[in-house]
Amino acid sequence: MAELPLNINACLGYSGSPLVYGGDGKYLSINGNIVSSFHVDLTRGEASRHFPCKGFGPDMLIAHPSFHFYAYSERGERAAVHVCSMEDGKEAVHMPNVGSIGLDCMSFSQDGESMATISSIPDHTVSIWNWGEDGVDLQVTGVSPQEFSSCHFNPKNSDQLALLGNGQLFLCNVVNSEQGALELEFLRFDPPNPDVEFAAFTWDASGRLFSTTSEGSLWQLDVSLYTLSGEPCFFTDNPWSSSSLLSFDRSLVVCTGDARVLWFDADSLSKLYEVRIPLSSSHSLVSACMCSDSQRGDIVLSSSDGSVFLLEMLSDLPQTFEMSEAEVKDADVVFGEMQRDKLHSLKRIMLSHVGRVVGLSFSPLLSHSLVSAGEDGKLIFWDCRKKCASAVQDVGRPLSCVEHHPSYSLLAIGDEGGSVQLLDVSAFPKMKSRAVFKLFHSKVVSLRFSDKGKSLAVMAEGSSHVYLLKVEESSAEVRGYVETGAASSARGNLLWVREEQLIVAAELDHLLRIENFSERSEEELQLAADLSTIRTEIACGQVARVGGKFAASSSRSKKVLLFELEGSWGSAGAEEVSSLPPAQPSLTFGAHDKVVLHIAGGGDAGLLASGGEGGKIVLRSGDDLLTVHALRAFSAWQGGCSSMCLSSPAGLLACASCNGTVLLLASSLLLEEDASGPPTRFTMGKKLYDLLGEEVEAGEVRTFEEVRLLSIQEMNNALNAVKKNEMRDRIRQIKAQLDFLLEKNSGAPELERIAREEIVIDAELRKRIIADGDARVEDTKRSISEENVSKEEERRRIKEVAWDSMETHGMKIHAFTTDVSVPNYPILKVEEERKRRIDRIRTMREIELKTLARQQQEFGASKSFVQFDSYSLSFDLKSREGGDKTGDKTGDKPSDPESLKSSAVLDNTDESWRAQQDDPLIYHRLNVTTRERKTAQIYMLESFITSVKTKFNALFDEFLKKKSATLGRMEEKQTRILEILKELKQPDAKEALGLHDEEQPNKVFCFLPCSCSCPDPPLLPARLLLSLSPRLPISSRFLALSSSCLTSSPPPPSLPRFLLLTCTSCSRFPTARSQRPSGSLLLSRRRKRRKRGSSGRPRQEMLMWRER
């Protein structure tokens, strides 16, 4: 059956798309799949116009310079451009296959005879067309050097246009090729510096090109030299602020992202005037267009908060800079003037949602009043006659659904936090909060009033509860909830069939019907009800009533099913549902090309509307719903339809999009403009107040059920407190009697006295306490033993890897009177396998040298590159000249490199170089040319370095022995001196003589006292496990001590890199900063106190320090 078109009665709101001026005070914008034309002067009462687009959604929009036509481009495969009349939207020119997927930008020339299009990926084709009312012809085409976002013709030259994209600005010229054909030439403008990008550009009427940059500067560009011209003018201190650039007469207008509009003189680039738009810091200007046919250059602006402004110029610009001193009358005014001075007037002409519109509801009391709820937290009441907003309330939190009461002036809203709020709109446009209920922790997905309005049903995402609220004209309360047995999805829905019968669609394989609700008890919040189900072939998440039937749809299917209200409903058990066959619908509709997201029913009016993800809206009416009206109202690329609502008496369908707009559709033009005048000036409500005038904040953390259970618990605690106090008094009395008897027993004669151990009040409790204590003691012993075994294993492995693997341990030799010290070289033990490998390499190297020597003797050729090392040759020659005392005195003069090379070759340079080396088997650096030689060189150099370290360590040991012998002689002399002083009865003056701690790697150290309050432990010997020199890698510098290591002695002057410290008196260790080694940092600590009554060996607690 053929589909009839749906008529667009109104487009409410602004989608955030770029604004385009359409002449005669009108501006154009794309709203979904519709091009809308609005008039900037609301007092004229001129009707707005809305023209549907072809395809799945337009990509961009431009206006012809004559303002008789507008052009839009499709988005999708084989994208086309459509040129339509500005009067009725009829297509005048069709340009197919302009781009493979879509267009990046397009533009008309100033004379209107040429049109440029730039396709997007993958072809990036720039095409210039000769355009006319009779058709279009392709003039020239070429491949663009990159992606572009905007393009404009030179007003004085239709063969030249400027292109901007990715911060780069290009000039495109139509030129003749060598063969005489037309081609495109692309020339790039260089920015002021490499870190700066071009932000926006414009041509003035004389053909001059201007541009703004990301650093906030305005430049004039020379189109003949393709460079920047003159000096810039800086207009903002905020770098990378977005900006748009407009031109009017002999002035330039810059609109910045931080809500400023600035005027500049086009000749001198001097600033003339500045206006600040009253926006909050979280919002900015997003689009601007110049009213080119206005007297002084009025500007239409749009912002990120969904507003559209008209900046009207009242007089000519000043000759010198002036800052607007206009005060903001009211920043929250929705329609009307916001600020004014002698030069300008700023008016807000539109306010809409930002982002997704999540709920729509027609007022049953006012047939032409519609309310929309958005994720931006705004409630907007629309007057469907005037086709504009009549009230705006900012709730302050993201909303998820909205519903009008059928009889009272009440409005129910649900939010993403799980709260439901009832608003009193009887004093419209002012609203009062009647009640707030926190029912869920997740988003409320659906709320519905019953037919008489006595009950409000609420369901939330991820919850299996359906709450019922009892609503009266002056009060509301929670009635309880019904358990459905399955959690709802994000697209669940509710439908009241009768006053006590409710259908639940949770996007499962069945629908649930709840009826015969019982009243809850004081203790329980759950309601008893009769549950029945009907199984469906699709997972239904939307339900709507249509006459004596109901429709169901799924966000996973393109179908809409129609069922009888009194169908074959079965048992609600899970097993019974899975065994039921799917119910057969009376009708099945499939007019959508993508999945169905929302449906709306007209009740008894026999209307059914559905909206799909592809943006198509379908309205069915008549007998068996066979009359079909359809329109692709929204773009398939922007999420399609987000919400819909149907007004049964008027047959008016309201549909919402994901970009903040609301469309009013009908099978005919039902509504005409109200002749009562322009929209009423009013302000947006920022706060909600209750009936007592106090501010309401819906930010509860606990749900209604949690608060109720908490209050019940508090009441029970209060009631039980009396019983507890009575029991405590009784226990005190019994204890007093027991104390009296115990005292009397203690004073009795020995023969009559009962032993205290025999007086047990609760023998079983005593045994249980003793048994529990013994079990804890055993557990503690076992855990301590396991931990100590683990630590002993760690100690053994550290010692094996880091200490036993060393051939020579690190130490230092210190001077007697100064702080000078000399360390030795720690040397690792060489494994037997490595020794054999080194011996094998040296043997192979000796064989190689002998082979090379024999080849040189037999063939007179050498494969050595030593002769090319000019540094070694010069060094050898100077050594020879310096060693020859009778040589020529001219040897100090620089020598010719060629003569040096020839002389070196004659003297067999390779052999002479090896003779000068400590290890003659080492390769010269120029001879290490293969992988094998590099490997051999590494092994021989490591062996050579180890031998050098060993020689140094031998000298180090000799000096250490000399120091030890010297200290011995000094000790003998000091001993003799002490004997003499003792004979003379003089006081002792003994100085401590001995080797330094770092000169004795096997010395036992004494360390810090414990920070606990226990008495100092006795001086116990500490067993040193590991002490390495700082020359070793950090992973090898450790010192580990046993569990009896702490004494009260001061720490040595130099501590190793890592310490493991423990305390023997308690399981604690030094933590105070004053007790830590100087320049150290606490890395980790592990501690577990011994429990009371435990026994066994002390736990080995560890404290690790590291040098900073």
Side-chain angles (χ1 to χ4, degrees), residues 584-760:
Q584 295 298 323
S586 57
L587 289 174
T588 301
F589 307 119
H592 291 274
D593 47 14
K594 287 194 175 183
V595 297
V596 179
L597 298 181
H598 295 276
I599 60 174
D604 297 331
L607 297 175
L608 174 63
S610 57
E613 189 179 25
K616 188 176 181 180
I617 306 298
V618 178
L619 178 62
R620 298 179 180 272
S621 60
D623 297 337
D624 295 331
L625 304 178
L626 297 179
T627 304
V628 180
H629 294 78
L631 173 70
R632 191 175 301 279
F634 303 114
S635 173
W637 318 111
Q638 297 175 352
C641 178
S642 64
S643 181
M644 63 172 29
C645 180
L646 191 59
S647 176
S648 301
L652 188 62
L653 175 63
C655 306
S657 67
C658 297
N659 54 15
T661 58
V662 178
L663 294 180
L664 297 180
L665 308 176
S667 57
S668 60
L669 294 175
L670 299 176
L671 301 178
E672 300 295 336
E673 283 292 317
D674 192 355
S676 59
T680 306
R681 186 182 188 275
F682 64 92
T683 59
M684 177 174 57
K686 287 290 188 179
K687 297 180 180 179
L688 281 174
Y689 299 92
D690 59 14
L691 299 179
L692 299 178
E694 298 182 356
E695 184 179 350
V696 177
E697 296 181 0
E700 295 291 335
V701 177
R702 297 187 180 93
T703 64
F704 179 84
E705 184 177 8
E706 292 171 347
V707 172
R708 173 182 166 275
L709 294 177
L710 184 61
S711 62
I712 293 176
Q713 183 180 0
E714 291 177 352
M715 183 179 295
N716 292 334
N717 291 339
L719 294 176
N720 293 330
V722 178
K723 297 180 181 180
K724 290 181 180 179
N725 292 333
E726 294 177 354
M727 183 61 67
R728 290 191 185 98
D729 294 339
R730 179 60 179 164
I731 292 174
R732 290 192 192 99
Q733 295 176 4
I734 296 175
K735 185 177 183 301
Q737 296 176 5
L738 177 62
D739 292 341
F740 173 76
L741 294 176
L742 290 176
E743 184 178 358
K744 184 177 180 180
N745 177 70
S746 61
E750 184 177 358
L751 295 177
E752 299 178 2
R753 188 185 310 150
I754 302 175
R756 183 65 181 85
E757 292 79 7
E758 299 179 8
I759 304 176
V760 179

Side-chain angles (χ1 to χ4, degrees), residues 390-401:
S390 57
V392 179
Q393 177 66 52
D394 189 355
V395 181
R397 60 188 187 277
L399 301 179
S400 58
C401 49

